């Protein structure tokens, strides 16, 4: 028996979630965000699955874009952090990529560099997240400079929300109002919404949405709503039970003896650990499915194994299937037990976990 740890990716679920993104913002186009290897789901496979219907794809850097172009992706491709140095502009032009420009520094570099053809430019406003983006006081002059330069084949305006996953957070309304006040009247489409904004802030959809996490079916909202409940989980992380032990009350399990048996305890050992990307800081009690039945994690996660308490389950045997997250165990729920978010859990799976694809 080979080690069973694997991630099964359902490409139909990703298609369903992309279509949901389009349905929720019917007047907008949707940029499918596939950065960080499509949040651990495989950028090439996901982009190929969505290519016939996606309005475009978003990636974080030139290397990610090259990978997609090399695998035959011809859709519009946006570099969400723009270029990191002017030397990248030559391959960017050659591959016909869109760029984000998020600072006056980049505006100056873009206007000064040699450029083989005009590029589509997404000009980013900092409406309050204070990570990247132009200050409101600089936006209109930057827009005018780019417009006058003939280097922008198309100009778009974008911003990013910091707290749109939080229920009715006032900050999102404030960011939206600042964006609208700053950009009103400029002749350009707007791009505002990441997944939580798309799911929970219909007044902030704009002309181009940018769904990432929701494509993969994890609920990004603090509190699920009617829209997010329609998402379908695209990844199942699974493995098998490799050992079953019966321990008396009082015995500890695993490194550091973090868990101590309160009763005679049947312990299951699962071939999955932090060497696979399962979070080491998962707390005792984190849910795991063995044979489809819920049981709690018991003891510290080690590199190649983790342990669960099987005492309350019936009919469990070595070799039985174990699900760490998937359609019947939301990764967002597991993430809460790990003081983390689904984004981090899925993007930090390691190459040791083989990806299998359904519905290619
Ligand atoms: C990553 C990213 C997104 C996608 O965010 P999700 O919350 O995963 O939907 C959207 N816009 C930008 C600029 C991003 O960098």
């Amino acid at each position: 028996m080979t080690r069973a740890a694997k991630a099964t990716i359902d490409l139909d679920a990703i298609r369903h979630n992309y279509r949901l993104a389009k349905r929720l913002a019917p007047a907008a186009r949707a940029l499918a965000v596939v950065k960080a290897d499509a949040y651990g789901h495989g950028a090439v496979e996901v982009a190929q699955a969505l290519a016939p219907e996606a309005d475009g794809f978003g990636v974080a850097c030139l290397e990610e874009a090259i990978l997609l172009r090399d695998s035959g992706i011809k859709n519009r491709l946006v570099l969400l952090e723009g270029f990191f140095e002017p030397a990248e502009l030559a391959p960017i032009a050659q591959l016909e990529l869109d760029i984000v420009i998020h600072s006056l520094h980049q505006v100056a570099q873009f206007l000064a560099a040699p450029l083989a053809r005009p590029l589509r430019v997404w000009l980013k406003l900092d409406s309050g997240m204070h990570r990247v983006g132009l200050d409101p006081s600089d936006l209109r002059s930057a827009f005018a400079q780019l417009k006058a330069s003939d280097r922008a084949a198309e100009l778009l305006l974008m911003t990013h929300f910091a707290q749109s996953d939080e229920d009715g957070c006032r900050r999102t309304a404030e960011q939206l109002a600042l964006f609208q006040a700053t950009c009103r009247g400029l002749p350009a489409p707007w791009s505002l919404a990441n997944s939580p904004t798309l799911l929970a802030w219909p007044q902030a959809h704009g002309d181009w949405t940018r769904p990432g996490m929701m494509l993969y079916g994890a609920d990004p909202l603090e509190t699920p709503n009617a829209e997010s409940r329609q998402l379908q989980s695209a990844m199942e992380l699974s493995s098998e039970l490799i050992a079953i032990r019966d321990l008396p009350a009082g015995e500890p399990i695993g490194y550091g003896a973090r868990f101590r048996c309160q009763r005679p305890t049947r312990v299951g050992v699962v071939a999955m650990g932090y060497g696979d990307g399962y979070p080491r800081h998962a707390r005792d009690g984190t849910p795991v499915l063995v044979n489809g039945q819920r049981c709690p994690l018991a003891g510290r996660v080690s590199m190649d194994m983790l342990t669960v308490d099987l005492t309350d389950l019936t009919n469990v045997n070595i070799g039985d299937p174990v699900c760490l997250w998937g359609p019947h165990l939301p990764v967002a729920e597991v993430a809460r037990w790990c003081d983390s978010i689904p984004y981090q859990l899925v993007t930090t799976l390691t190459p040791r976990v083989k990806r299998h694809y359904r519905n290619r």
Side-chain angles (χ1 to χ4, degrees):
M1 181 177 86
T2 53
R3 192 164 182 273
K6 65 173 192 281
T8 307
I9 316 291
D10 183 351
L11 294 170
D12 266 353
I14 295 175
R15 292 184 187 99
H16 165 89
N17 296 329
Y18 183 78
R19 288 168 197 161
L20 177 64
K22 295 279 292 199
R23 208 159 58 239
L24 293 176
R29 286 185 276 178
L31 198 69
V33 178
V34 295
K35 63 191 179 187
D37 200 27
Y39 296 45
H41 294 66
V44 170
E45 289 82 356
V46 170
Q48 285 176 342
L50 291 179
E53 56 194 297
D55 299 315
F57 293 106
V59 294
C61 57
L62 185 55
E63 291 79 357
E64 292 180 348
I66 290 172
L67 182 69
L68 295 185
R69 285 282 186 255
D70 283 351
S71 60
I73 298 300
K74 301 204 167 29
N75 309 53
R76 196 160 168 176
L77 262 181
V78 182
L79 295 173
L80 293 170
E81 292 177 48
F83 58 94
F84 296 91
E85 50 177 358
E88 287 187 328
L89 287 167
I92 286 171
Q94 198 224 328
L95 295 170
E96 300 188 48
L97 308 178
D98 291 24
I99 54 169
V100 167
I101 287 187
H102 58 68
S103 67
L104 290 179
H105 182 70
Q106 282 187 326
V107 173
Q109 286 184 324
F110 177 67
L111 293 177
L115 199 63
R117 64 158 67 93
L119 302 184
R120 288 187 286 229
V121 175
W122 300 54
L123 191 60
K124 186 169 188 175
L125 174 74
D126 176 12
S127 58
M129 181 155 174
H130 301 324
R131 192 178 53 178
V132 293
L134 288 147
D135 286 346
S137 56
D138 293 329
L139 183 102
R140 296 184 83 94
S141 67
F143 187 93
Q145 281 185 67
L146 290 167
K147 193 98 190 146
S149 74
D150 289 337
R151 289 176 161 239
E154 183 187 347
L155 268 171
L156 302 94
L157 292 161
M158 69 184 284
T159 196
H160 199 63
F161 295 106
Q163 292 175 272
S164 59
D165 56 323
E166 298 174 22
D167 300 342
C169 181
R170 219 182 51 224
R171 184 72 177 167
T172 301
E174 290 167 1
Q175 283 195 254
L176 176 61
L178 181 58
F179 179 87
Q180 289 169 332
T182 308
C183 297
R184 187 166 289 127
L186 293 176
W190 289 359
S191 177
L192 310 171
N194 59 357
S195 299
T197 314
L198 182 45
L199 290 163
W201 293 84
Q203 65 277 49
H205 281 168
D207 304 298
W208 274 92
T209 61
R210 306 189 304 269
M213 188 77 257
M214 70 175 284
L215 297 178
Y216 311 105
D219 195 329
L221 299 178
E222 187 181 79
T223 310
N225 66 13
E227 286 73 25
S228 71
R229 276 191 281 268
Q230 298 174 59
L231 294 171
Q232 291 180 4
S233 160
M235 178 192 287
E236 173 160 38
L237 179 66
S238 62
S239 189
E240 287 179 2
L241 272 187
I242 59 168
I244 297 176
R245 322 285 314 281
D246 286 299
L247 297 175
E251 287 300 307
I253 304 174
Y255 285 117
R258 183 180 75 181
F259 183 89
R260 201 168 281 277
C261 299
Q262 300 298 309
R263 55 179 179 171
T265 301
R266 174 158 286 191
V267 177
V269 182
V270 181
M272 177 66 64
Y274 63 81
D276 302 297
Y278 189 89
R280 179 177 175 275
H281 41 283
R283 293 200 298 273
D284 287 335
T286 303
V288 173
L289 297 179
V290 175
N291 256 343
Q293 308 173 79
R294 270 181 186 243
C295 62
L297 183 82
R300 220 178 252 169
V301 173
S302 31
M303 187 182 292
D304 312 313
M305 288 177 261
L306 57 79
T307 40
V308 294
D309 183 346
L310 301 174
T311 315
D312 297 326
L313 306 194
T314 50
N315 194 20
V316 176
N317 298 291
I318 291 173
D320 280 356
V322 176
C323 168
L324 291 311
W325 60 71
H328 304 292
L329 180 54
V331 61
E333 180 182 349
V334 176
R336 276 192 291 279
W337 282 89
C338 307
D339 299 316
S340 187
I341 53 173
Y343 296 70
Q344 190 187 21
L345 267 53
V346 292
T347 51
T348 53
L349 288 184
T350 67
R352 189 165 80 181
V353 178
K354 289 285 170 290
R355 271 63 162 180
H356 296 255
Y357 290 90
R358 293 174 50 202
N359 303 310
R360 256 191 215 264

